Amino acid sequence: MAHNGSVEEFLATAVDAAKKAGEIIRQGFYQTKNVEHKGQVDLVTETDKACEDLVFNHLKQHYPSHNFIGEETTAACGASVLTDEPTWIVDPLDGTTNFVHGFPFVCVSIGLTIGKVPTVGVVYNPIMNELFTGVLGKGAFFNGNPIRVSSQTELVKSLLATEAGTKRDKLNVDATTNRINSLLFKVRSLRMSGSCALNLCGIACGRLDLFYELGYGGPWDVAAGVLIVKEAGGLVYDPFGKEFDITIPQVAASNPFLKDAFLEALQQSE
């Protein structure tokens, strides 16, 4: 492969980086946190920053010519444009609010795109010791074992995950709760676990049947999870029926059986 290594090497390097960052998260999880606000309810901690530094330094040592997009660097330096070059897209700590509250749904998310196509994905929850991985064309795995999406065919028997987002103005809150209100009549139940990356992995391993989120932080939330879902036989799509775009913060995911009914339900919830 022309990009300084094979996909297997890229995966191994990403797993190493995720495990090292996971150690920092695990240590910080049980300590007092120093919290800053990025917005009214959007938080960042010293652990987010330390993890991003660690992951990027680890990857840059191995692949100095690759590009890098990270949540905290983007917050500090402005948005980076996704190009066709090999690009590592990293959320050093997805689920920062969970982390601050000691709620164990937190993870490191590391995705590699080549030609803008997600090619390697690693999502690691160090508190629950859950490692999800995927490589384009080679399947998806949970702690080393192959995973598949659920085989559920009925919306009414499906478990749905979503998030409330970080905006708290009346217009956004009403739109969010109205959408949920509409969907609750059509599914079995609803979960909000606070991590976009882990929700996508939940779809990939069949714990969840349906997931959508609007207005998440950026491509770092989905770069790894999107690939893991697809490699587990799932579908990732725009919640409003358009072509999914990793740079536009809206995503839906499910198994192939539920897609049409889910899109219809989302349409009706607007």
Side-chain angles (χ1 to χ4, degrees):
M1 200 169 191
H3 301 292
N4 312 332
S6 68
V7 281
E8 285 77 16
E9 281 174 49
F10 296 152
L11 176 66
T13 308
V15 168
D16 281 350
K19 291 268 178 87
K20 286 181 168 156
E23 198 46 54
I24 295 178
I25 292 171
R26 199 183 293 117
Q27 287 167 8
F29 190 77
Y30 299 102
Q31 295 169 357
T32 307
K33 286 89 173 175
N34 292 315
V35 184
E36 297 167 32
H37 281 255
K38 284 196 276 193
Q40 188 184 345
V41 294
D42 201 6
L43 308 177
V44 63
T45 68
E46 290 167 343
T47 303
D48 294 73
K49 295 168 183 171
C51 285
E52 185 160 307
D53 288 347
L54 184 153
V55 170
F56 277 173
N57 288 339
H58 185 84
L59 295 171
K60 279 173 182 169
Q61 275 177 355
H62 289 80
Y63 311 114
S65 68
H66 288 189
N67 291 345
F68 297 86
I69 296 175
E71 178 169 24
E72 303 319 323
T73 2
T74 300
C77 313
S80 314
V81 178
L82 182 61
T83 67
D84 286 336
E85 291 302 305
T87 303
W88 294 95
I89 305 177
V90 175
D91 192 336
L93 174 43
D94 189 34
T96 303
T97 301
N98 289 344
F99 176 77
V100 167
H101 286 266
F103 189 76
F105 287 86
V106 298
C107 66
V108 190
S109 173
I110 302 174
L112 172 67
T113 61
I114 299 175
K116 297 195 184 90
V117 176
T119 305
V120 171
V122 173
V123 174
Y124 178 51
N125 178 342
I127 311 305
M128 299 170 80
N129 195 28
E130 295 190 338
L131 175 68
F132 295 91
T133 58
V135 171
L136 186 63
K138 301 193 188 280
F141 297 85
F142 168 49
N143 287 348
N145 299 309
I147 49 174
R148 297 294 294 173
V149 290
S150 81
S151 53
Q152 185 54 254
T153 58
E154 294 177 67
L155 222 51
V156 73
K157 292 181 180 172
S158 296
L159 188 58
L160 165 69
T162 189
E163 296 300 334
T166 55
K167 295 192 172 85
R168 290 293 178 269
D169 58 286
K170 182 163 169 51
L171 204 65
N172 269 293
V173 170
D174 284 351
T176 300
T177 51
N178 289 341
R179 195 178 293 114
I180 288 168
N181 187 43
S182 166
L183 289 165
L184 268 176
F185 288 102
K186 296 169 185 170
V187 300
R188 176 168 280 164
S189 194
L190 170 74
R191 299 290 178 267
M192 286 188 185
S193 66
S195 163
C196 183
L198 287 174
N199 281 332
L200 286 165
C201 292
I203 293 286
C205 71
R207 286 175 188 168
L208 298 168
D209 303 299
L210 307 164
F211 168 60
Y212 76 92
E213 186 170 354
L214 310 174
Y216 49 84
W220 44 83
D221 287 310
V222 296
V226 158
L227 173 71
I228 293 167
V229 169
K230 288 178 176 174
E231 288 299 316
L235 299 177
V236 177
Y237 39 95
D238 181 278
F240 305 112
K242 299 192 284 275
E243 198 62 41
F244 175 71
D245 181 338
I246 197 171
T247 63
I248 296 173
Q250 49 192 48
V251 67
S254 69
N255 69 35
F257 304 120
L258 293 168
K259 179 186 175 182
D260 291 344
F262 188 30
L263 279 174
E264 193 181 329
L266 283 166
Q267 214 80 49
Q268 290 166 354
S269 72
E270 284 306 303

